[in-house]
Amino acid sequence: MQELINNEAFHSYAVCSALLAIKMLFTGNYTTIQRMRNKGFVNEEDARSFGGTAEPAEHPAVAHALRIQRNDLENIPLFFAIGLIFVLNGASAHAAWWYSWTFTFSRLAHWIAYLNHLQPWRAICYFVGYLCILGMAVQIVF
Amino acid sequence: MQELINNEAFHSYAVCSALLAIKMLFTGNYTTIQRMRNKGFVNEEDARSFGGTAEPAEHPAVAHALRIQRNDLENIPLFFAIGLIFVLNGASAHAAWWYSWTFTFSRLAHWIAYLNHLQPWRAICYFVGYLCILGMAVQIVF
Amino acid sequence: MQELINNEAFHSYAVCSALLAIKMLFTGNYTTIQRMRNKGFVNEEDARSFGGTAEPAEHPAVAHALRIQRNDLENIPLFFAIGLIFVLNGASAHAAWWYSWTFTFSRLAHWIAYLNHLQPWRAICYFVGYLCILGMAVQIVF
């Protein structure tokens, strides 16, 4: 394990994963903020506790926030898994650094683009992150 | 690898992750039970196979069950990833034990609170789990 | 780490995880294709950029594609986490091979069944994958 702690490839992966996890927690907070601000409750118990009425469908601002979270869920856990396998498989420090930071910046930029309704920037950021996962996965298979 | 098998921090993480995975499988079963009991189908093929008609929107009880699953998906995979990195980074047995079991109990309590529509207990349980992830992630970054 | 690279159990897990990650990326592409083909936009900025109008609810074909992704999200990240813990806990090459490949084929078959609206095949494939996760998780706990 001491070997892993001193491994530079693992270090890049670990720091980027922690940053992405914190980003995902904050993205969840944003959904809560939208729900509270718009009184956009779908659970009866939430409406009772926090004031307002429960609606059958999500408020548009909450639905938008949930789509940001969903996009993260479809991509970031793939990095957690594939990035770690890539590193444990003996990736070079250089390759791990580039994949980890490119993916992390692409997801942070994707977040900013989605929050600000910016297309085609959001699609481009998504695609950069997609290529990082695909690149590592293909290298693992072969 | 023998080192890891004998590592107490890894042991806490491994057992808690397995319990959380089993809990997530059961949470998925609960959705299926609600779908079957309420004949709440959205896929035509499901309505044909299991009897009933497909509706464009989810039945309220199914939507509630899906929200429980979604909340798990937004939190538990973060523990899987960040908990492992925390342990592989050389966490003490003590720190890993506390983070792992606190997180696991908070998610089990969150499940019970959500199933029984209990607020603000659900929010409190969510927040305890949130702090576990945040604490580990911040320690990894610094 | 050299030990892990030479470990056959890890090898099965690594290759299957990479294949499942690629499959999840493609499943996301399918959603995008359905969205573009049906002009099924829910974000105003998407409708503006790619032509069409934003609707409050998802187009049925897009909703179907999103349900395929959701089912993956509820299952495949569990394999990523539990499969790795199972291997790091000293699983035999034989057990890891069977669990990994059975899970991978069950999820590929589930995908084909879902795309083609085939029941009860979809439910059977789901259940096979479910048993793989449950089997590994129970072995980790005990």
Side-chain angles (χ1 to χ4, degrees):
Chain A
M1 231 154 85
Q2 199 55 47
E3 190 195 343
L4 206 56
I5 298 170
N6 296 328
N7 183 298
E8 280 185 54
F10 179 70
H11 186 75
S12 300
Y13 164 78
V15 171
C16 286
S17 293
L19 292 175
L20 289 164
I22 295 170
K23 175 245 174 292
M24 285 179 78
L25 293 176
F26 288 172
T27 308
N29 295 156
Y30 175 75
T31 302
T32 307
I33 291 167
Q34 290 300 323
R35 200 180 285 292
M36 292 298 184
R37 184 178 293 167
N38 296 290
K39 301 267 176 212
F41 301 115
V42 285
N43 290 310
E44 286 289 347
E45 61 268 29
D46 298 358
R48 262 200 310 279
S49 294
F50 304 114
T53 51
E55 302 288 338
E58 297 285 5
H59 184 280
V62 178
H64 180 256
L66 286 170
R67 285 196 292 273
I68 301 178
Q69 286 193 279
R70 191 176 65 201
N71 198 286
D72 273 358
L73 286 175
E74 289 165 12
N75 290 281
I76 296 178
L78 289 179
F79 175 76
F80 290 153
I82 298 307
L84 182 60
I85 295 168
F86 187 68
V87 164
L88 293 178
N89 245 331
S92 73
H94 189 253
W97 191 92
W98 274 101
Y99 274 125
S100 297
W101 287 104
T102 306
F103 184 80
T104 303
F105 277 107
S106 78
R107 295 308 305 180
L108 291 174
H110 180 272
W111 189 24
I112 294 167
Y114 216 147
L115 285 173
N116 294 291
H117 307 268
L118 303 176
Q119 277 288 33
W121 300 110
R122 198 186 88 216
I124 292 166
C125 294
Y126 165 80
F127 191 60
V128 171
Y130 178 102
L131 289 180
C132 290
I133 303 290
L134 188 64
M136 289 190 288
V138 167
Q139 278 186 258
I140 292 166
V141 174
F142 294 106
Chain B
M1 229 154 84
Q2 199 54 47
E3 190 195 342
L4 206 56
I5 298 170
N6 296 327
N7 183 298
E8 281 186 51
F10 179 70
H11 186 76
S12 300
Y13 164 77
V15 171
C16 285
S17 292
L19 292 175
L20 288 165
I22 295 169
K23 174 244 175 293
M24 285 180 78
L25 293 177
F26 289 173
T27 307
N29 295 155
Y30 174 75
T31 302
T32 307
I33 291 168
Q34 290 300 322
R35 199 179 285 291
M36 291 299 184
R37 184 178 293 167
N38 295 289
K39 301 267 175 212
F41 301 115
V42 286
N43 289 311
E44 286 290 347
E45 61 269 29
D46 299 358
R48 262 200 311 276
S49 294
F50 304 114
T53 50
E55 302 288 338
E58 297 284 4
H59 184 280
V62 179
H64 181 255
L66 286 170
R67 285 196 292 274
I68 302 179
Q69 287 193 278
R70 191 175 66 201
N71 198 286
D72 274 358
L73 286 176
E74 288 165 13
N75 289 281
I76 295 177
L78 289 179
F79 175 77
F80 290 153
I82 299 306
L84 182 59
I85 295 168
F86 187 68
V87 164
L88 293 178
N89 244 330
S92 72
H94 188 254
W97 191 92
W98 274 101
Y99 273 125
S100 297
W101 286 104
T102 305
F103 184 80
T104 304
F105 277 108
S106 77
R107 295 308 305 180
L108 290 175
H110 181 273
W111 190 24
I112 295 168
Y114 216 147
L115 284 173
N116 294 290
H117 306 269
L118 302 177
Q119 278 287 29
W121 300 111
R122 198 186 89 216
I124 292 166
C125 294
Y126 164 80
F127 191 60
V128 171
Y130 178 102
L131 289 180
C132 291
I133 303 291
L134 188 63
M136 288 190 288
V138 167
Q139 278 185 257
I140 291 165
V141 174
F142 294 108
Chain C
M1 231 154 83
Q2 199 54 47
E3 190 194 343
L4 206 56
I5 298 170
N6 296 327
N7 183 297
E8 281 185 53
F10 179 71
H11 186 75
S12 300
Y13 163 77
V15 171
C16 286
S17 292
L19 292 175
L20 289 165
I22 295 169
K23 174 244 174 293
M24 285 180 77
L25 293 177
F26 289 172
T27 308
N29 295 155
Y30 175 75
T31 303
T32 307
I33 291 168
Q34 290 300 323
R35 199 179 285 291
M36 291 299 184
R37 184 176 295 168
N38 296 290
K39 302 268 174 209
F41 301 115
V42 285
N43 290 310
E44 286 290 348
E45 62 268 30
D46 298 357
R48 260 199 312 277
S49 293
F50 304 114
T53 52
E55 301 289 337
E58 296 284 6
H59 184 280
V62 178
H64 181 257
L66 287 170
R67 285 196 293 274
I68 302 179
Q69 287 193 278
R70 191 176 64 201
N71 198 286
D72 274 358
L73 285 177
E74 289 165 12
N75 289 282
I76 295 177
L78 289 179
F79 175 78
F80 290 152
I82 299 306
L84 182 60
I85 295 169
F86 186 68
V87 164
L88 293 178
N89 245 331
S92 72
H94 188 253
W97 191 92
W98 274 101
Y99 273 125
S100 297
W101 286 104
T102 306
F103 184 80
T104 304
F105 277 106
S106 76
R107 294 308 305 178
L108 290 175
H110 180 273
W111 189 24
I112 295 167
Y114 216 148
L115 285 173
N116 294 291
H117 306 269
L118 302 177
Q119 278 287 29
W121 300 110
R122 198 185 89 216
I124 292 167
C125 295
Y126 166 80
F127 192 60
V128 171
Y130 179 102
L131 289 179
C132 291
I133 303 290
L134 188 64
M136 288 190 287
V138 167
Q139 279 185 257
I140 291 165
V141 174
F142 294 107

